[in-house]
Amino acid sequence: MPHSTKNSIWKVIGASSLGTLIEWYDFYIFGSLATVIATQFFPNTNPTAALLSTLATFAAGFIVRPFGALVFGRLGDLIGRKYTFLLTLVLMGGSTFAIGLVPSYESIGFAAPIIVLVLRLLQGLALGGEYGGAATYVAEHAPASRRGFFTSWIQTTATLGLFVSLGVILITRSALDPDPQVSIAKFNDWGWRIPFLVSILLVVVSIYIRMKMKESPLFTKLKAEGKTSVNPLKESFGHRANLKMVLLALFGAAMGQGVVWYTGQFYAQSFLENVCKIDFEQSRTILIWAILFATPFFVVFGSWSDKIGRKWIILTGMLLAVVTYRPLFQAMYDISNTEQQVAATTEQKETTDGIANSDNKLRTLVTTAHYASGMVAMTTQRDTVYATPVQATVKPLVQVSKLLGGNDYWKMVGLVFLMILYVTMVYGPIAAFLVELFPTKIRYTSMSLPYHIGNGVFGGLTPFVATLLTTIYTDDKLVGLMYPIIIAAVSLVIGALYISNRIDPDVND
């Protein structure tokens, strides 16, 4: 590759990746703060229902992604890649900033969750147009022999967007006050808005960079020759041969890839916090370390796919997920399980505080247990002590938070790392795989739809469905895994039987 061309492709990757990373950051900041947002925008009388409502709102952003793929995919095939994913960046950034301004449920009632839902839907539409544009843009600049390698850099942005969102949350929380308890209270009250608001600065920088980008050379050539699609939707889904490829891409690859992605990162985080009861900050640093160690493998597997093909790397990742998810999550639960351990020492501290405009008092009992493994488990019980004896005491509100010891902490990082390694196998090569399935004039539309149905619908529903299953079948802590295991297994079989392992050097130009 000539030096000037090499510099050009890295500029393309840099500009595309920065914008896509920011869009993922904007999209995932909501999921990373699900437990906090649940208390802000939904009635707090039932914490489980509030969390499920928040996860459903989170999932709604994924469900509309296919519609964004259709709308912006059509625009991308008609007017070009550059201006379309510039538009999606503006829409995403504006929606994210606005979520940080929405008043709480206590202030405006049910209008709060409705406004947040609308903004979340706009985020989903924007992301539906962003990924296909960025992946197509990079692929159409990349040399044929290294398409998997160069497009895999775009693939890192989804995980790095989650990484940045977690980092910003932790930095914001720790910066609010030197006292950890005061800092937590401030963050839960108003500090959670900061990660949403600061994203607008990142968006402005990315818009400036993208404005200087040139259109894809393949699309420019197609437009100059007058060969662009007149009706991308009809050509993508109205022609039997192309529709068949869309369906194969969805059910044989993107569907399974989607559930592996969201199980390994989002459901793992939810499981750590809500089932294992790991401390808020520690659960996120576990994920941050695992992401940091695993991210280079997106490029490793993307590059490897240039040599051996995309299919078997993607399907091997699905197979490993299907076979090992239950043992991996069981190991996570066992590490954090205090029922099988006896506390070496236990401390209790009880405080009572007066309740305003009442003779009643709020009683808080904090029990801190230290275990030989180094784990510290803090159980906080809060109830009301009534001044009038005839009043019944309400069932105490119980919260559990665990801090893992050094060895167990790094074991947990290792387990999450393995799950994210599966993510890199299924996700690293998939952009090149999808690009090579479809011709240039309808590529944006054709590849975006299966990708966003697979990721947005099947993948995005994973945290919600898995959490819902655990609330219905309470005896099995791992029952939520049945959803991603079944979906990945079906995709694995279809992909193995019907998808080709070819590498198309011409990208169907």
Side-chain angles (χ1 to χ4, degrees):
M1 185 191 302
H3 184 68
S4 60
T5 305
K6 189 174 182 179
N7 287 339
S8 175
I9 185 65
W10 283 113
K11 286 180 181 178
V12 166
I13 290 171
S16 301
S17 297
L18 178 61
T20 307
L21 186 150
I22 291 168
E23 290 221 28
W24 283 115
Y25 165 86
D26 286 351
F27 199 70
Y28 287 135
I29 202 78
F30 191 97
S32 299
L33 291 173
T35 53
V36 177
I37 289 172
T39 65
Q40 291 291 324
F41 297 126
F42 295 93
N44 56 16
T45 51
N46 188 332
T48 301
L51 177 61
L52 283 170
S53 298
T54 304
L55 290 174
T57 304
F58 178 60
F62 290 95
I63 293 170
V64 298
R65 277 168 58 180
F67 297 100
L70 292 175
V71 172
F72 293 108
R74 179 177 180 275
L75 285 176
D77 284 329
L78 287 174
I79 67 173
R81 288 55 164 127
K82 171 186 171 179
Y83 292 106
T84 301
F85 67 64
L86 189 63
L87 177 60
T88 64
L89 184 61
V90 173
L91 185 60
M92 174 67 82
S95 301
T96 304
F97 181 76
I99 289 176
L101 299 175
V102 177
S104 67
Y105 178 85
E106 288 186 0
S107 301
I108 59 173
F110 280 104
I114 292 172
I115 293 170
V116 169
L117 176 61
V118 171
L119 292 171
R120 184 68 186 161
L121 294 175
L122 289 175
Q123 282 187 320
L125 288 171
L127 192 61
E130 166 66 23
Y131 174 81
T136 300
Y137 189 78
V138 171
E140 291 179 350
H141 278 84
S145 61
R146 305 196 71 193
R147 194 174 297 121
F149 170 73
F150 284 118
T151 56
S152 67
W153 289 93
I154 287 288
Q155 304 307 92
T156 67
T157 60
T159 294
L160 289 175
L162 175 59
F163 178 90
V164 173
S165 74
L166 294 171
V168 171
I169 288 168
L170 293 180
I171 291 169
T172 302
R173 187 161 141 160
S174 62
L176 290 177
D177 198 280
D179 184 332
Q181 295 303 316
V182 175
S183 178
I184 292 170
K186 286 183 177 180
F187 185 84
N188 290 345
D189 184 27
W190 57 267
W192 64 270
R193 296 180 183 274
I194 294 173
F196 286 94
L197 299 177
V198 299
S199 72
I200 199 69
L201 301 175
L202 304 174
V203 171
V204 170
V205 172
S206 185
I207 289 173
Y208 175 77
I209 293 172
R210 284 196 173 180
M211 288 290 288
K212 294 180 175 296
M213 294 166 65
K214 295 181 180 179
E215 185 53 82
S216 152
L218 291 182
F219 184 83
T220 301
K221 178 186 175 186
L222 209 66
K223 195 169 186 178
E225 295 172 351
K227 295 180 180 178
T228 54
S229 176
V230 177
N231 190 334
L233 294 178
K234 183 178 180 180
E235 290 187 49
S236 292
F237 313 117
H239 295 175
R240 186 173 180 179
N242 202 72
L243 178 60
K244 178 185 175 182
M245 298 311 296
V246 169
L247 294 176
L248 276 180
L250 169 59
F251 294 111
M255 179 176 75
Q257 172 258 304
V259 295
V260 171
W261 205 103
Y262 289 99
T263 302
Q265 296 183 135
F266 270 101
Y267 186 58
Q269 178 185 313
S270 176
F271 190 85
L272 282 171
E273 190 173 355
N274 298 312
V275 179
C276 298
K277 304 297 183 183
I278 303 300
D279 169 75
F280 178 95
E281 289 192 12
Q282 196 174 69
S283 68
R284 279 147 182 80
T285 59
I286 287 169
L287 201 62
I288 284 174
W289 280 114
I291 288 172
L292 194 63
F293 295 142
T295 295
F297 288 93
F298 284 107
V299 179
V300 170
F301 290 118
S303 181
W304 196 22
S305 76
D306 286 328
K307 298 176 176 65
I308 68 170
R310 330 294 183 196
K311 171 181 174 176
W312 292 112
I313 297 175
I314 294 171
L315 296 186
T316 299
M318 292 184 202
L319 176 62
L320 289 170
V322 169
V323 172
T324 66
Y325 267 166
R326 281 193 70 96
L328 288 174
F329 276 85
Q330 183 65 55
M332 290 169 64
Y333 181 72
D334 290 343
I335 288 171
S336 64
N337 186 10
T338 56
E339 294 176 5
Q340 307 299 322
Q341 304 181 50
V342 178
T345 61
T346 303
E347 307 159 9
Q348 283 194 331
K349 182 180 179 181
E350 183 177 313
T351 58
T352 55
D353 298 293
I355 299 175
N357 304 318
S358 168
D359 292 329
N360 303 328
K361 294 182 179 180
L362 178 66
R363 176 170 55 195
T364 303
L365 177 63
V366 179
T367 304
T368 306
H370 299 263
Y371 295 87
S373 64
M375 182 180 3
V376 178
M378 184 181 293
T379 304
T380 304
Q381 292 184 210
R382 292 185 177 88
D383 63 354
T384 303
V385 180
Y386 291 98
T388 307
V390 294
Q391 287 184 275
T393 300
V394 179
K395 184 179 179 181
L397 176 65
V398 179
Q399 294 177 310
V400 179
S401 179
K402 301 173 185 176
L403 276 170
L404 298 174
N407 289 337
D408 285 343
Y409 176 86
W410 289 108
K411 286 179 185 176
M412 199 72 88
V413 170
L415 292 169
V416 178
F417 165 79
L418 282 176
M419 287 186 273
I420 299 179
L421 188 65
Y422 303 161
V423 172
T424 67
M425 294 180 73
V426 299
Y427 199 60
I430 202 152
F433 166 78
L434 291 172
V435 163
E436 291 171 343
L437 286 180
F438 306 106
T440 303
K441 66 178 182 176
I442 55 170
R443 178 172 296 133
Y444 199 149
T445 304
S446 296
M447 74 166 285
S448 292
L449 187 67
Y451 174 82
H452 285 294
I453 293 178
N455 283 266
V457 178
F458 289 100
L461 285 174
T462 301
F464 174 73
V465 173
T467 303
L468 181 62
L469 288 173
T470 58
T471 61
I472 297 172
Y473 304 100
T474 55
D475 293 336
D476 184 0
K477 302 289 185 184
L478 306 180
V479 68
L481 295 171
M482 292 307 298
Y483 172 75
I485 287 173
I486 290 171
I487 297 296
V490 171
S491 190
L492 173 64
V493 172
I494 294 173
L497 292 177
Y498 298 108
I499 287 180
S500 161
N501 194 43
R502 67 184 173 83
I503 301 174
D504 187 347
D506 300 321
V507 203
N508 296 309
D509 295 338

